[in-house]
Amino acid sequence: MLELLDRGLLRPEAVARLVDNYIAAPELRTHTLVLGLVLDVAAALQAYPLAGAVLASSLVSSRVKRSTVGTAILLARPRRV
């Protein structure tokens, strides 16, 4: 995802929307991006080592949880459809 941002193919606002969409409805796993790319946000969170503990904790603020989801998304590798 970082490569898409660097090349200007994905805007930061789109990443923020992905975070919002996942927070609002975590059961919706896949999200369509640009250029026929799809991202499985749940899989991205599983691949990010800290995400499980952060999202499961009641002691962590919603801001930190949003940041964790955003980081997992940025580190993810979307797949072509």
Side-chain angles (χ1 to χ4, degrees):
M1 294 286 287
L2 288 173
E3 303 87 32
L4 295 174
L5 283 171
D6 286 344
R7 292 192 286 164
L9 299 173
L10 185 66
R11 300 189 50 85
E13 298 83 20
V15 175
R17 276 194 306 275
L18 277 173
V19 172
D20 292 340
N21 290 344
Y22 182 80
I23 297 292
E27 67 278 0
L28 300 175
R29 293 181 55 111
T30 58
H31 298 274
T32 303
L33 304 170
V34 296
L35 303 169
L37 296 173
V38 173
L39 178 66
D40 184 338
V41 178
L45 288 166
Q46 287 177 344
Y48 184 48
L50 297 175
V54 169
L55 295 177
S57 176
S58 61
L59 301 174
V60 176
S61 71
S62 61
R63 182 177 177 185
V64 171
K65 289 181 180 185
R66 290 180 53 76
S67 178
T68 300
V69 172
T71 300
I73 288 170
L74 289 174
L75 294 174
R77 298 221 181 267
R79 63 179 168 82
R80 282 219 183 267
V81 289

